[in-house]
Amino acid sequence: LLVVKFCFVLIYISCFSNCKKSNVPSVNIVLYNESLSVIRKNIQGEWKLEYEKGGICSTCINDFSNVSYLWEFSINNKIKRTYNGSIYTDTIIQWARDLVFYTNGDSTYIMNFYDKRGYPYNYVVDRIYNDTLILHDAYSVDAVYYHFTKSN
């Protein structure tokens, strides 16, 4: 009987001794219906594009996890985008409030900027879900969703 109790205690200890809660909280926040100051505060920093999903093929995924595609949002309202070390966007973001698709009928702030080639970009800062920043095309009926993780 003593051996059975001892085995039970060992099994109990081994089952629960490896269970630890992470000290890093997960961030989940919808941003498209927030004020501009809240949006800018939450996206500040450098983000790595992991993949994009959607567009004409709603289930298609374009994987960027094997390349260095970084977007940096600074406190002074600038965006800097680099692809494998080459800077192709380094400019000021122009924010405009407008009604767009995929925001449940709410108007939201649109992030507008041009890259060095003069190509325009218009994005909605949708949310941060499980520490992944999600942006999507602002003026598209078949929007692409861009998924980023915080860069170290």
Side-chain angles (χ1 to χ4, degrees):
L1 186 62
L2 184 60
V3 173
V4 172
K5 287 181 182 180
F6 181 72
C7 288
F8 177 78
V9 169
L10 283 179
I11 292 171
Y12 182 80
I13 290 172
S14 66
C15 286
F16 294 103
S17 64
N18 292 329
C19 297
K20 291 183 181 179
K21 288 188 175 183
S22 174
N23 291 335
V24 180
S26 181
V27 175
N28 294 307
I29 182 172
V30 175
L31 292 169
Y32 70 81
N33 59 359
E34 293 291 341
S35 68
L36 184 55
S37 62
V38 171
I39 293 170
R40 289 178 56 196
K41 177 182 159 233
N42 280 280
I43 66 170
Q44 187 178 345
E46 189 174 73
W47 297 84
K48 182 183 182 307
L49 180 62
E50 297 293 340
Y51 66 95
E52 57 187 28
K53 182 178 180 184
I56 291 175
C57 173
S58 63
T59 59
C60 293
I61 295 176
N62 191 10
D63 185 18
F64 289 97
S65 62
N66 293 327
V67 296
S68 177
Y69 194 4
L70 302 174
W71 293 34
E72 182 179 353
F73 301 100
S74 69
I75 187 106
N76 58 356
N77 208 33
K78 285 187 75 174
I79 182 168
K80 181 177 176 181
R81 298 189 310 168
T82 60
Y83 183 79
N84 287 335
S86 297
I87 299 171
Y88 69 96
T89 303
D90 190 4
T91 190
I92 300 291
I93 298 170
Q94 301 297 320
W95 295 94
R97 191 157 181 95
D98 201 357
L99 186 61
V100 296
F101 294 103
Y102 307 109
T103 57
N104 295 325
D106 291 340
S107 63
T108 188
Y109 286 98
I110 310 300
M111 176 191 309
N112 302 298
F113 60 90
Y114 292 87
D115 69 10
K116 288 185 174 188
R117 301 167 294 183
Y119 293 165
Y121 294 91
N122 307 292
Y123 297 109
V124 172
V125 180
D126 192 83
R127 66 189 64 232
I128 297 176
Y129 181 74
N130 288 337
D131 302 323
T132 299
L133 173 63
I134 302 171
L135 307 180
H136 66 78
D137 296 324
Y139 301 111
S140 176
V141 294
D142 55 357
V144 174
Y145 282 74
Y146 304 88
H147 298 256
F148 300 82
T149 56
K150 196 77 164 184
S151 181
N152 294 330

